[in-house]
Amino acid sequence: MIFFVEVARALSFTRASKASGIPIATLSRRVALMEKRVGIRLFQRTTRRLALTEPGRRYLERCERIVQDAALAQEILKEASEQLTGHLRLSMPVEFGLTLIAPVIDEFARLYPEITVDADLSPRPADFVDESIDVSIRLGEIRDPSLIVRRLGNAARLFYASPSYLARYGVPQHPKDLSEHQCIVQSYMAQPGIWRLVSGKRSVDVNVHGRFSTNNVSMTQKFAEQGHGIAALSPPNARPAYDSGAVRQILPDWSFPLAPVHAVMTSRLVPARVRVFVDFLANRLTVI
């Protein structure tokens, strides 16, 4: 339809080609295919002149408005892709979002006041389509090849226990000692009863147990503060309790394997507000 309008306005394949940058052969072929498909001649052709037929003139009247509306719609999309306005819907794990992402969102919102933010905090990955998610922050490997992934960094989990627990049961000196201790089991892990600890190139798998288990990071930390066992926590989450003396770090040379942190989207073609937020997050996010 666009090709037809270009030729009909110019009444010349040559002039239409120059105006649009589309090769003459392409214009001629597309118009001929359109005429063949509808079974009506749109142009009268001679060696010296090109003219619209009556059906061609009526078709042009309708097509011009449609093409103009399409161009306007394209401009709206272009503006949406370039302007830093609109609604930004995010998804992220609860504690990770509260501890690390919330300060970044606060700074971003102050810099871009025309962007509204809706943050969905949940332990499960959100559904991009059903929940209209623009960006999902996820920990761990992303195996879905249909998703667009940008790595933001790595998240560590170190080991903590309360002074009262350590005074009662002693301080573990080696990862294997954990099998003799009460550990706060995190039930959301693939193998909650097996902790893999790493230190440089060394790796140790330890069978752990404990009276307390939970699927929530905040509750894991609370159990540790209350003296119920040893917990694996991210340093940003544990820092307030560590600074106050409620917990102490143990096995300082060991950690869980680093978990990659990703910003996940469904397409590379995203509005400017999404693109700018992901760049901002990558530059500001401090993951330990």
Side-chain angles (χ1 to χ4, degrees):
M1 190 181 293
I2 292 172
F3 293 158
F4 164 75
V5 169
E6 289 289 347
V7 175
R9 285 172 176 169
L11 289 178
S12 164
F13 283 102
T14 301
R15 289 195 296 269
S17 176
K18 289 180 179 179
S20 65
I22 301 166
I24 294 175
T26 301
L27 289 171
S28 179
R29 184 173 65 253
R30 293 295 182 86
V31 170
L33 286 172
M34 175 182 283
E35 290 177 321
K36 183 178 181 180
R37 187 170 65 247
V38 299
I40 296 175
R41 300 279 291 184
L42 300 173
F43 292 98
Q44 292 289 354
R45 297 169 176 81
T46 68
T47 55
R48 299 171 60 89
R49 187 167 174 270
L50 189 68
L52 284 165
T53 63
E54 181 60 28
R57 281 193 294 271
R58 295 202 307 269
Y59 187 58
L60 177 63
E61 290 174 2
R62 297 299 184 98
C63 285
E64 280 195 300
R65 179 175 297 178
I66 293 171
V67 169
Q68 289 171 359
D69 287 345
L72 178 60
Q74 195 70 21
E75 285 300 315
I76 291 172
L77 289 179
K78 184 179 179 182
E79 289 176 5
S81 73
E82 295 176 351
Q83 292 182 357
L84 297 176
T85 62
H87 192 64
L88 183 64
R89 182 156 167 78
L90 311 173
S91 170
M92 66 200 74
V94 179
E95 281 78 9
F96 191 82
L98 291 172
T99 305
L100 289 177
I101 307 299
V104 179
I105 293 175
D106 175 63
E107 186 181 358
F108 179 81
R110 294 177 189 276
L111 288 174
Y112 303 102
E114 298 301 315
I115 298 176
T116 60
V117 179
D118 181 1
D120 177 77
L121 275 66
S122 172
R124 58 166 183 77
D127 186 295
F128 280 97
V129 176
D130 291 345
E131 301 179 43
S132 302
I133 299 297
D134 293 308
V135 183
S136 178
I137 311 301
R138 297 185 184 178
L139 279 68
E141 297 297 336
I142 309 299
R143 305 191 184 281
D144 187 341
S146 68
L147 296 175
I148 304 302
V149 176
R150 178 167 177 180
R151 190 158 183 162
L152 302 174
N154 297 299
R157 277 189 289 176
L158 309 179
F159 304 98
Y160 301 87
S162 70
S164 62
Y165 176 88
L166 297 174
R168 184 176 180 182
Y169 295 101
V171 180
Q173 300 300 313
H174 188 274
K176 291 184 178 179
D177 296 340
L178 293 175
S179 62
E180 304 299 324
H181 279 264
Q182 291 287 311
C183 295
I184 312 300
V185 177
Q186 296 165 317
S187 57
Y188 57 83
M189 294 173 59
Q191 294 180 293
I194 301 177
W195 284 6
R196 172 163 292 177
L197 284 74
V198 297
S199 177
K201 295 183 179 180
R202 293 180 294 169
S203 175
V204 178
D205 287 349
V206 183
N207 291 310
V208 299
H209 66 278
R211 291 178 57 211
F212 292 82
S213 66
T214 179
N215 67 347
N216 181 270
V217 174
S218 293
M219 187 61 78
T220 300
Q221 180 169 322
K222 184 61 66 177
F223 285 151
E225 292 175 17
Q226 293 169 342
H228 295 303
I230 296 168
L233 300 167
S234 71
N237 284 336
R239 188 166 294 122
Y242 177 81
D243 290 343
S244 70
V247 296
R248 287 171 49 194
Q249 186 183 351
I250 61 170
L251 300 172
D253 296 330
W254 296 84
S255 72
F256 274 4
L258 295 177
V261 181
H262 297 107
V264 184
M265 297 161 285
T266 56
S267 173
R268 297 187 190 278
L269 302 176
V270 295
R273 62 182 179 274
V274 175
R275 185 173 62 253
V276 169
F277 175 76
V278 173
D279 289 342
F280 190 86
L281 188 62
N283 290 329
R284 294 296 200 281
L285 184 63
T286 302
V287 184
I288 302 173

